[in-house]
C-alpha cells in the first residue's frame, strides 16, 4: 500500500458552468465528492489544492513554482504524486516540472479530462484512478515510474515528450517521438526499458525560470520586421520553429539577424515544425547555413519541452558553450541525442 498525494491545480476536470454557461474552476471538494471510488483503491490517498485553481490557459511560472514547492514540502511523506491539471497546457507544465524537479526518484503523474467530473460521460474517473494506480506502483520497494509523466486515455507518456493533439477527442495527447511508458488495458503494461532510472542524488527543486525568450516560426513570405524582436536587449533566447529537418530560406537579412543575435550572446535553438522526426543540421543546404552561424539543433524536442528547457537553462545563467552543450543533451529523456 503506497501513500499518495493528489494535488488539484484546476482544469476542466473540476469545472462547473457559471451562470453565463462558461466552464470555470470549482472547488476541490466538489471534485472529490464525485469520485467515491477513491476509497476503494489499495492506497492511502491524501489531497491538497493549490491556492487558486486555474484554467490551465492562465498558467504562469508562478503556478509551476507552487506545484514544485508542494512536491518539495511533501517529498518524503509520499511514495508518489498525481497532479490534476487542465489539458491545454498540461504538456508545458509536465515538461517544466521534469526540469525543475531535480534528481526526482518518485512518480509525478499529471492527468485531467476533456469533460468535467460531474458530466455523465466524463473521462475524468478512469484518468484519475489509473494515474493513482500508476503513481502507487512499486517493484522491489521502488516506484516503477520515477519521473514526470502524463496519463490520459489509457496511455502513460513521458511528460516532456508529450503534446496535446486534440481539443475534441478523449485521446488528447501523444508523444510522437517516444513510445508510451505504459498502456492500460485489463492490466497496466509498463515498458520498463523506456522509463528513466532511479536517481540517487538528493531531491531538490529549481525555480528561477527565465522568460527572456521568444518562440518564432519560419513561414513562406516571412518579413525582416518579424525578426525585429531580436534587437531587444530583453531577449536572451529564441526557439526557431524551422521546416522539416531544420531548414529555413537562405535570405541574407535572416542570416545577418541571426549572426548578429548570436554574436551578442542570444541562444538560438531550432526545432522542427513536423510532428515526427528531428533536426538534421547538415542534411540540406537550406539548413546548413543556420548551423554554421551557430544555431543550436534541438533534435526532436517538442515545442513544449523546448520552452521549458529554455526557461530552465536561461535561469541557470550558463556560458554560451555550457548552454549549447546542455540544450543538445538529454537531461531528463526529453530528446534523442
Ligand atoms: N481550458 C481547460 C484547461 O486547460 C481545458 C481542459 O482542462 O481540458 O484548464
Amino acid at each position: 500500500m503506497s501513500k499518495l498525494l493528489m494535488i488539484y491545480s484546476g482544469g476542466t476536470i473540476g469545472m462547473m458552468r457559471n451562470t453565463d454557461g462558461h466552464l470555470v474552476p470549482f472547488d476541490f471538494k466538489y471534485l472529490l465528492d464525485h469520485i467515491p471510488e477513491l476509497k476503494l483503491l489499495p492506497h492511502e490517498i491524501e489531497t491538497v489544492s493549490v491556492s487558486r485553481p486555474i484554467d490551465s490557459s492562465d498558467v504562469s511560472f508562478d503556478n509551476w513554482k507552487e506545484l514544485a514547492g508542494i512536491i518539495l514540502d511533501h517529498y518524503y511523506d509520499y511514495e508518489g504524486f498525481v497532479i490534476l491539471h487542465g489539458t491545454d497546457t498540461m504538456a508545458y507544465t509536465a515538461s517544466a516540472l521534469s526540469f525543475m524537479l531535480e534528481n526526482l526518484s518518485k512518480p509525478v503523474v499529471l492527468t485531467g479530462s476533456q469533460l468535467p467530473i460531474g458530466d455523465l460521460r466524463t473521462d475524468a474517473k478512469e484518468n484519475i484512478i489509473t494515474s493513482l494506480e500508476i503513481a502507487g506502483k512499486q517493484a522491489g520497494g521502488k516506484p516503477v515510474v520515477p519521473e514526470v509523466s502524463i496519463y490520459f486515455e489509457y496511455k502513460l507518456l513521458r511528460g516532456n515528450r508529450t503534446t496535446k493533439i486534440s481539443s475534441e477527442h478523449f485521446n488528447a495527447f501523444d508523444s510522437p517521438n517516444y513510445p508510451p511508458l505504459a498502456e492500460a488495458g485489463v492490466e497496466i503494461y509498463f515498458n520498463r526499458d523506456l522509463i528513466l532510472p532511479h536517481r540517487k542524488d538528493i531531491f531538490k527543486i529549481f525555480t528561477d525560470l527565465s522568460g527572456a525568450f521568444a518562440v518564432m516560426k519560419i513561414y513562406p513570405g516571412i518579413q525582416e520586421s518579424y525578426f525585429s524582436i531580436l534587437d531587444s536587449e530583453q531577449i536572451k533566447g529564441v526557439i526557431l520553429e524551422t521546416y522539416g529537418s531544420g531548414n529555413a530560406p537562405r535570405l541574407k537579412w535572416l542570416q545577418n539577424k541571426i549572426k548578429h543575435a548570436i554574436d551578442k550572446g542570444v541562444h538560438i535553438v531550432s526545432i522542427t515544425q513536423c510532428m515526427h522526426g528531428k533536426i538534421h543540421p547538415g542534411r540540406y543546404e537550406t539548413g546548413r547555413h543556420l548551423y554554421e552561424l551557430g544555431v543550436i539543433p534541438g533534435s526532436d524536442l517538442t515545442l513544449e519541452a523546448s520552452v521549458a528547457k529554455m526557461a530552465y537553462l536561461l535561469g541557470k545563467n550558463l556560458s554560451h558553450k555550457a548552454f549549447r552543450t546542455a540544450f543538445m543533451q538529454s537531461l531528463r529523456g526529453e530528446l534523442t541525442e
Side-chain angles (χ1 to χ4, degrees):
M1 172 144 156
S2 299
K3 207 172 155 197
L4 305 173
L5 183 64
M6 184 158 81
I7 306 165
Y8 177 52
S9 73
T12 296
I13 198 159
M15 288 189 184
M16 276 185 87
R17 287 189 196 282
N18 65 11
T19 43
D20 303 331
H22 303 303
L23 286 168
V24 287
F26 208 64
D27 75 68
F28 196 21
K29 187 173 170 318
Y30 162 80
L31 196 153
L32 292 174
D33 287 347
H34 278 81
I35 22 176
E37 292 90 344
L38 286 186
K39 294 190 190 71
L40 302 175
L41 281 173
H43 301 298
E44 194 181 327
I45 298 156
E46 291 180 359
T47 56
V48 65
S49 174
V50 298
S51 48
R52 197 177 58 89
I54 55 165
D55 180 311
S56 79
S57 294
D58 280 329
V59 81
S60 68
F61 290 176
D62 285 342
N63 301 108
W64 293 344
K65 205 169 165 176
E66 184 178 5
L67 287 172
I70 292 175
I71 292 175
L72 179 69
D73 290 348
H74 300 284
Y75 192 71
Y76 296 102
D77 303 330
Y78 299 93
E79 271 83 48
F81 302 85
V82 169
I83 301 177
L84 305 183
H85 196 285
T87 59
D88 286 348
T89 58
M90 191 186 294
Y92 286 96
T93 298
S95 298
L97 289 177
S98 78
F99 296 110
M100 295 167 78
L101 306 177
E102 297 182 331
N103 305 319
L104 179 71
S105 62
K106 296 194 177 187
V108 174
V109 186
L110 282 89
T111 195
S113 66
Q114 293 282 59
L115 286 176
I117 190 100
D119 278 26
L120 217 48
R121 292 179 53 247
T122 188
D123 48 333
K125 279 192 188 183
E126 198 284 322
N127 285 345
I128 293 181
I129 289 168
T130 308
S131 296
L132 287 162
E133 276 208 38
I134 289 169
K137 179 81 179 165
Q138 301 256 329
K142 287 183 170 171
V144 171
V145 193
E147 58 172 290
V148 179
S149 58
I150 288 182
Y151 179 77
F152 218 88
E153 189 65 3
Y154 306 111
K155 282 182 300 190
L156 182 74
L157 307 171
R158 171 162 299 153
N160 57 31
R161 289 285 197 159
T162 301
T163 197
K164 184 172 177 181
I165 54 163
S166 176
S167 59
E168 303 272 333
H169 296 140
F170 286 143
N171 185 11
F173 290 95
D174 194 12
S175 60
N177 289 306
Y178 202 75
L181 304 181
E183 280 168 271
V186 175
E187 307 259 335
I188 302 173
Y189 294 100
F190 291 90
N191 294 317
R192 301 259 179 121
D193 298 347
L194 299 174
I195 297 171
L196 290 178
H198 293 89
R199 304 250 177 176
K200 291 196 183 67
D201 295 331
I202 299 218
F203 174 72
K204 55 188 168 59
I205 63 172
F206 180 84
T207 57
D208 286 335
L209 301 178
S210 164
F213 63 92
V215 178
M216 306 187 75
K217 206 173 187 114
I218 298 290
Y219 55 90
I222 199 162
Q223 302 286 308
E224 184 168 359
S225 54
Y226 176 60
F227 273 81
S228 55
I229 195 164
L230 290 184
D231 303 333
S232 158
E233 291 307 314
Q234 319 283 316
I235 294 295
K236 306 281 180 236
V238 171
I239 296 162
L240 200 58
E241 289 192 85
T242 54
Y243 299 135
S245 53
N247 309 318
R250 285 165 294 167
L251 299 164
K252 199 72 208 143
W253 63 257
L254 179 61
Q255 293 166 344
N256 288 341
K257 283 272 181 202
I258 289 178
K259 182 172 182 330
H260 182 68
I262 291 175
D263 285 350
K264 67 173 186 177
V266 177
H267 311 289
I268 303 185
V269 173
S270 85
I271 60 169
T272 173
Q273 294 176 15
C274 298
M275 183 80 142
H276 297 270
K278 62 178 189 155
I279 301 291
H280 291 275
R283 186 174 275 176
Y284 292 93
E285 199 54 33
T286 47
R288 197 171 57 91
H289 69 122
L290 298 177
Y291 306 101
E292 280 179 358
L293 292 171
V295 171
I296 303 168
S299 186
D300 51 4
L301 279 174
T302 59
L303 171 64
E304 294 88 334
S306 51
V307 164
K309 192 167 186 177
M310 180 66 85
Y312 175 74
L313 291 180
L314 281 181
K316 295 236 166 195
N317 271 319
L318 304 171
S319 69
H320 195 72
K321 190 160 172 271
F323 182 97
R324 184 183 171 88
T325 308
F327 215 98
M328 289 171 67
Q329 255 170 18
S330 166
L331 303 180
R332 311 279 195 271
E334 73 279 9
L335 58 73
T336 308
E337 277 184 28

